[in-house]
Amino acid sequence: MDGWTDPRAAMGTLPQYPHAHQDELVSAAGRGMAPVAAAVLGDGLVSVDADRTDGRQFFVLTDSRGGTATVWVDAVPLVRGTLADTATNTTSQHYVIRVSDRLPTRMLHRVLARELGELMAVRERAAEGLAPVREDSLREGTELPSEQALSVADRGRVGELNWLAARSSAPDVSPEQQAQARAEFSALLDPYGMRPTAAMSDEEAFRAQERAARARYRVAFGSLSTEAVGLLDTLAHPIEALPPADATALRAARDAAVRAERQVEAFIGRREITMPMPGYDQNGLPLPRDQLEPAAERWAQYREQVSERTVGALEGQLAAGQFPLRKVVIGGGASLTGRDPEALLVDAAGRWHLDPGNGIVQSADQDRDLAQWMGVDPYAAVEDPRHRVSIHAVRVWEDQLATQGDVVNGRARLRLGLGGELLAEIRPSGPDGQESDTPLWVACDGTPSIATGLTPDAVPGMPRGATGVESRSEAVRLIGDRLRELEGQAVPGARELRAWLTLAERGGADARTVLGALESSALKDALMDGLDEETGARMDNCFTALDSTGKWETAREAAPGRALLGDEVAENRFDPRAAQHWIIAGSGGTGVANAEIILRENPDAYVTIIGNAPPDALRHQVQYPEMLERYTTGENPRLTIGRTEVGAVETYQHENGETWFQADYVIEATGERRTARAGGYVCSLGRTNPLPPALQVLADEVRDRGGEISGDLQFDRDDQYIGYGLTFAVDGREHRVDVDGAASWQLPREIFAPKTGVQAALNEMGQRGLPSETGNAAPGFSPIARQSALRARAVAEAAAGDPDAVRRLPTVPERWQRPDLTRPSTVASTAPAPAPVAMAAAAPTAVTPAVETETETETAAAPGTQADTPAEPTAQPTAQPTSEPTAQPAPEPTAQPAPEASAGRGAPAAPAPGISGSHLWQMGVHRGGAGRPNAPDRQEQQPPPPGHEPPEPGVGLDD
């Protein structure tokens, strides 16, 4: 996804339309895509066919080689300053253009032209297996890139020029609109470096710019339309040599551009970039692919050293009687894009550090926006842009980000101190993964952040639907709530049974014990009495959930190492050779990933995936089609996929005396009924929605003290989702905790009850923002990198005093609700006829476009100012006053003198315009911290980071 910006949008001056404007934009796209595509693609385009499905607009473009590309268009909330972005999926040839729902309709087709130019460039380059051109050519200045070729962004700019050129001479466009298009075309030649801007009297500067402009013209010529070439011949001259009308228009455009740039500079400020980008060497070049694996090993070792230094420093503070007061972040992964280097990061280095698979399931093309949000180059990690991003690259990126500040390899959970303070109980882990028996205690400074990744797997047999119960813990909670009601009605034994149930759940009693106690209780009938139909069905499902969990626990005991949850496979906590045939329950992305791991790690294994039809998103990813081709074909296929409704796990006694598993299923293509029998069983049936593990003990402590827990969704000022927040109110105090990352897309049902519909609304928003055609999903690696970067910016702005930077809402904003697109599409299949070629056969031609409907009365941005201006306002956080910890946790640390209050920090700062990716690093400079308790001294204690060059032959990394 690659966005482009407009200064007016950056400053919040684009109009704010009602929700119905989204419908108008999508409808206008339907009316205008054919002429826009004809202008941009010229004789490379054969036809455009438009249609709608599920309330969405899409177009099928057929090229002159017989290939097709499906382009989806929607109008959604985008980040400030961004007029549009595009997700490119060269795996399934689906492309999703999202335009800002604040875009004036009159600007839409010009924006679509640019996005079409970009996505077609990605498509053409990927078809040849070529890496993208890294440097833009169409940028003002005399310095030219070493590679004389157009980048993807350049192709978008050429698409924009081609569209404006077509508009400037279209016979069915008014003379005023023709003149406006000509003026906008002319204004773009300045920022695109295709016209000298120095005065002709300054001969040296003028000649240098003129030579550079001619070079850019030669590079772009093959992609320019005939009309664009003609306009360039007329307008690509110094202002002194232009016809009077064109000179007047250009002078006005330049004046407007200067005013806009001054406003933007004043709005976003400037700052120096002090942090290296992850995955790059000291010279600013991406790490070569053949160095990624050894680099990952070196960075893992470095991270372990940093963790040891951090643990030692914290232990030293506690031993010296200094209770550490720190910002605390628990969890890592892709959310490290928002990593605050002053925060103490506690992360077990899970998921991608443990996953034995080939890499994330998206290609470099599908995750190209990582360059924007994480500051990394996914293309450097692959041989072909359609290949999956290497797991070693992911590990390098995450460890580089993690070690920008203090980090502890391990796990943490939040607790209440005896005086009600919010504390972090940290258990470091060593290189062997074993956690320390002795915890470290840290007082939380400000609002802790939790980003512990995907929530736990559901076990087989959980009741689904409106009255479903997804886990044993939810069943116990709902039964406990019902017992509390009975206790309020003075039903004998209700209080005692509820107390026992609570102790049993916290003590880890197995589900069979819990179910047996409830089944034999005299209160079982009372639990159901007096309930309405829906509530009664849910209570009955609580018993079903406990029964299914009991069967699963029995199966795991009878077949140790062979009855697994999906996360145990994904995190390599299993033996793939423990069985030669595996059943995987669940046909979604997790189940498919687990199947790939088993088939790869055990070349003799056979896998049967059972479940509902695989979600549509799988066919848009790289992994699933590759798996089907590799493992379901040939003389000895090792993968079978069947359809069934998965219930509780079924076991039987195999002739060898072992407990085995079985499941009935149907081969969908033939209707053949089969029974899978296997020695191994993996449950990958989806995720439960509990509180993150780091918060479960805190929630128990708050409720035991009579406190309450509430939650809200968090959005930035642009209505971008940045996670959810929880408020723990107890003993007259409130503690805020924020949840980021993949976990933030699974709202805890005990806080956000299913009947509120908030989770359903969040799911719909995620699907709209990232349709399955992108090959991605909201909790995926690249989308989480984006979310966390936006979150870091919003938190920084809030800390700097902006009250609207982080908005806490009860549900999803209306802007994310899909409009009712009831009007039929007006676009028919078209086959544009090419116009005569005037300059060269290589130059594509454009047909005459239809009239662009003028339904808006706003004035567009000044020509030449709406593209390529970085406009991401950012601010760095100021310290929040924190109360002094006055009581010890239980178990108690050795000492706890009260720390001093944190000192305030400097004024907000923002990225430097023109520095690619600089907006990611608003958190990336040292911001002081005078007056804080002594913390680990990173500058002196941490070892220097590893170099990117491989070690000399015969010399170990530690020598």
Side-chain angles (χ1 to χ4, degrees), residues 889-913:
E892 300 177 355
T894 56
Q896 63 167 116
E900 299 177 10
S902 299
R905 297 181 177 86

Side-chain angles (χ1 to χ4, degrees), residues 63 114 139 208 242 248 320 324 426 463 493 585 615 630 683 768 783 816 838 841:
D63 62 31
R114 178 154 176 158
R139 292 282 195 183
L242 289 177
T248 299
I426 302 170
R630 181 173 182 180
C683 180
R768 187 178 181 197
W816 280 107

Side-chain angles (χ1 to χ4, degrees), residues 479-499:
I479 293 172
D481 291 344
R482 175 58 177 157
L483 287 170
R484 183 181 288 107
E485 293 177 3
L486 296 177
E487 181 183 346
Q489 299 168 12
V491 174
R495 180 175 182 275
E496 291 76 12
L497 182 57
R498 184 170 68 86

Side-chain angles (χ1 to χ4, degrees), residues 728-748:
F728 297 83
V730 60
D731 298 334
R733 303 177 66 171
E734 288 189 349
H735 297 295
R736 291 280 308 180
V737 179
D738 291 341
V739 180
D740 184 20
S744 68
W745 288 87
Q746 299 290 127
L747 304 177

Side-chain angles (χ1 to χ4, degrees), residues 57-382:
Q57 178 76 66
F58 70 94
F59 309 87
V60 179
L61 277 61
T62 303
D63 62 31
S64 56
R65 298 181 181 180
T68 61
T70 302
V71 181
W72 300 79
V73 177
D74 200 358
V76 298
L78 294 180
V79 176
R80 76 195 75 167
T82 301
L83 300 184
D85 68 16
T86 298
T88 57
N89 188 342
T90 53
T91 298
S92 63
Q93 293 301 315
H94 283 257
Y95 304 83
V96 179
I97 297 177
R98 289 157 297 200
V99 299
S100 170
D101 63 352
R102 292 180 175 175
L103 182 73
T105 306
R106 69 175 308 279
M107 297 173 63
L108 172 67
H109 294 160
R110 177 174 170 181
V111 168
L112 288 179
R114 178 154 176 158
E115 297 301 305
L116 268 182
E118 288 200 8
L119 72 85
M120 286 302 171
V122 172
R123 180 172 179 263
E124 293 166 11
R125 185 253 313 134
E128 302 295 329
L130 300 176
V133 177
R134 299 187 184 281
E135 296 180 87
D136 294 343
S137 291
L138 303 186
R139 292 282 195 183
E140 60 184 324
T142 57
E143 186 175 349
L144 296 170
S146 57
E147 186 175 2
Q148 296 295 297
L150 295 180
S151 68
V152 168
D154 288 335
R155 287 287 299 276
R157 296 174 184 120
V158 170
E160 191 180 4
L161 291 174
N162 287 345
W163 168 247
L164 291 172
R167 291 269 296 169
S168 71
S169 60
D172 50 357
V173 171
S174 69
E176 293 79 9
Q177 291 171 329
Q178 290 180 348
Q180 178 69 16
R182 181 184 179 100
E184 292 177 4
F185 182 102
S186 179
L188 289 179
L189 301 185
D190 284 0
Y192 294 175
M194 302 186 77
R195 168 200 288 128
T197 57
M200 296 180 69
S201 57
D202 186 353
E203 186 172 347
E204 182 178 355
F206 176 80
R207 294 302 178 194
Q209 291 183 9
E210 186 179 42
R211 286 192 296 270
R214 289 175 178 173
R216 294 187 179 96
Y217 177 85
R218 288 192 296 269
V219 172
F221 181 80
S223 299
L224 291 164
S225 68
T226 301
E227 290 89 344
V229 169
L231 269 187
L232 274 166
D233 288 344
T234 302
L235 299 175
H237 302 291
I239 193 169
E240 298 92 332
L242 289 177
D246 291 318
T248 299
L250 178 60
R251 192 170 294 108
R254 286 179 175 177
D255 290 344
V258 169
R259 290 194 300 271
E261 180 158 351
R262 286 173 181 168
Q263 291 172 332
V264 171
E265 287 182 4
F267 181 66
I268 67 176
R270 293 183 180 274
R271 64 179 284 278
E272 181 183 357
I273 305 304
T274 62
M275 291 174 61
M277 295 295 190
Y280 291 72
D281 63 18
Q282 291 88 341
N283 298 317
L285 300 175
L287 295 177
R289 287 189 301 275
D290 59 358
Q291 292 186 23
L292 287 173
E293 185 170 3
E297 294 175 359
R298 292 196 296 274
W299 276 99
Q301 293 175 359
Y302 176 63
R303 175 172 172 154
E304 183 62 34
Q305 294 176 42
V306 175
S307 176
E308 291 174 355
R309 303 297 198 279
T310 304
V311 169
L314 293 173
E315 289 175 337
Q317 285 183 268
L318 291 167
Q322 297 177 347
F323 198 103
L325 175 65
R326 300 296 303 271
K327 296 179 183 178
V328 174
V329 175
I330 303 174
S335 67
L336 289 170
T337 53
R339 200 255 199 267
D340 179 352
E342 286 195 352
L344 172 64
L345 171 66
V346 184
D347 178 32
R351 190 61 180 100
W352 298 115
H353 286 76
L354 304 174
D355 193 319
N358 294 329
I360 58 180
V361 299
Q362 287 80 28
S363 69
D365 277 338
Q366 291 169 331
D367 277 346
R368 68 191 184 117
D369 61 327
L370 281 171
Q372 179 181 4
W373 299 110
M374 190 177 256
V376 301
D377 182 3
Y379 291 108
V382 296

